[in-house]
Amino acid sequence: MSAIEARTPSWATRPGPAAASDRAGRILLAAFAVAAVADLGSLLADWHLGHVLFKPLLMPLLVAHVITRRAPRLLVAALLFGWGGDLALLFDAEIAFLLGMGSFAAGHVCYLVLFGRRRTGPLLGAAYAAALIGTVALLWGDLPADLRIPVAGYSLLLTAMAYRASALGRVAGAGGALFLLSDTLIATGVAEWPQLPRPDFWIMATYLAAQYLLAGGALRRSPGRPDPGTGVR
């Protein structure tokens, strides 16, 4: 280090591209966290306008964050399809519900392709299969007749995604499980089962945690990043 470099204050130096991208990523993640807290707070306060304002910001902020982390395109696509589902579910109509379910289903396909052919545990697969069969069987009679087949097909795809997410490690696996829980809460609401207090809050909280954990797990296993299973950082 030269004498000039040693006397130059850190704030006067221009950060390199990697440092600037890292800083932008942290700012975007913080903005996502703020928007998530605002949205969840709006649900708890029963402030519908706040939910309408903050919900559409969530996935774009998370997408912008993962892009600064050199995210795989399939991860970006999965999150954007999630955003499409978020927007559709802002409208209280059956067609909007079906469109939202279709958008989320496209996101699950992106996740499944992203997970590739990495190995997953057969016992975990059996547990997810049992949960799928049991949940669909219990809900079937209480669902509107025209939604039974779409919900069953979507549940199969969602469960497959949740199971295969564990191929990327515990973080992504937890994200897949929370996504399954979130959508199961929606399905029980459609079936008019008894709900927890403020079910919309729990649905959104588990969904946001799911997308964040799935994104984090995918970023850890993307090319050029250390495998979390090796312990190398």
Side-chain angles (χ1 to χ4, degrees):
M1 179 182 294
S2 67
I4 294 176
E5 291 174 327
R7 291 198 299 268
T8 303
S10 59
W11 53 264
T13 60
R14 179 175 298 178
S21 177
D22 186 58
R23 181 178 300 174
R26 290 197 300 269
I27 292 172
L28 288 165
L29 185 59
F32 168 74
V34 170
V37 169
D39 183 58
L40 294 175
S42 298
L43 293 173
L44 285 176
D46 201 19
W47 183 33
H48 181 67
L49 178 59
H51 181 56
V52 171
L53 292 173
F54 294 118
K55 186 181 183 182
L57 301 177
L58 294 166
M59 288 305 107
L61 288 170
L62 188 56
V63 165
H65 164 70
V66 301
I67 287 175
T68 67
R69 300 281 303 279
R70 303 183 302 281
R73 292 181 180 178
L74 283 168
L75 173 59
V76 174
L79 294 173
L80 287 175
F81 278 121
W83 182 44
D86 291 345
L87 296 179
L89 293 185
L90 285 173
F91 300 91
D92 188 16
E94 185 174 308
I95 185 62
F97 177 79
L98 290 171
L99 288 173
M101 189 164 57
S103 191
F104 284 122
H108 297 328
V109 172
C110 291
Y111 275 129
L112 284 168
V113 177
L114 177 63
F115 300 153
R117 297 183 178 181
R118 297 179 178 90
R119 295 181 60 184
T120 48
L123 290 179
L124 181 63
Y128 270 118
L132 170 65
I133 294 170
T135 302
V136 172
L138 290 171
L139 288 170
W140 187 264
D142 295 327
L143 289 171
D146 57 338
L147 289 181
R148 289 172 183 170
I149 297 300
V151 168
Y154 175 80
S155 298
L156 176 60
L157 183 60
L158 169 63
T159 305
M161 185 282 294
Y163 166 55
R164 290 292 301 150
S166 62
L168 295 188
R170 294 180 180 178
V171 171
L178 285 172
F179 213 133
L180 180 61
L181 173 59
S182 180
D183 281 5
T184 300
L185 292 174
I186 294 177
T188 59
V190 173
E192 298 184 353
W193 283 16
Q195 300 288 296
L196 294 169
R198 303 306 317 180
D200 46 359
F201 169 83
W202 297 110
I203 289 168
M204 202 64 194
T206 49
Y207 166 71
L208 290 175
Q211 292 282 41
Y212 172 74
L213 291 173
L214 283 167
L219 287 173
R220 291 186 181 192
R221 294 296 292 267
S222 61
R225 293 186 180 277
D227 187 331
T230 64
V232 178
R233 295 184 64 83

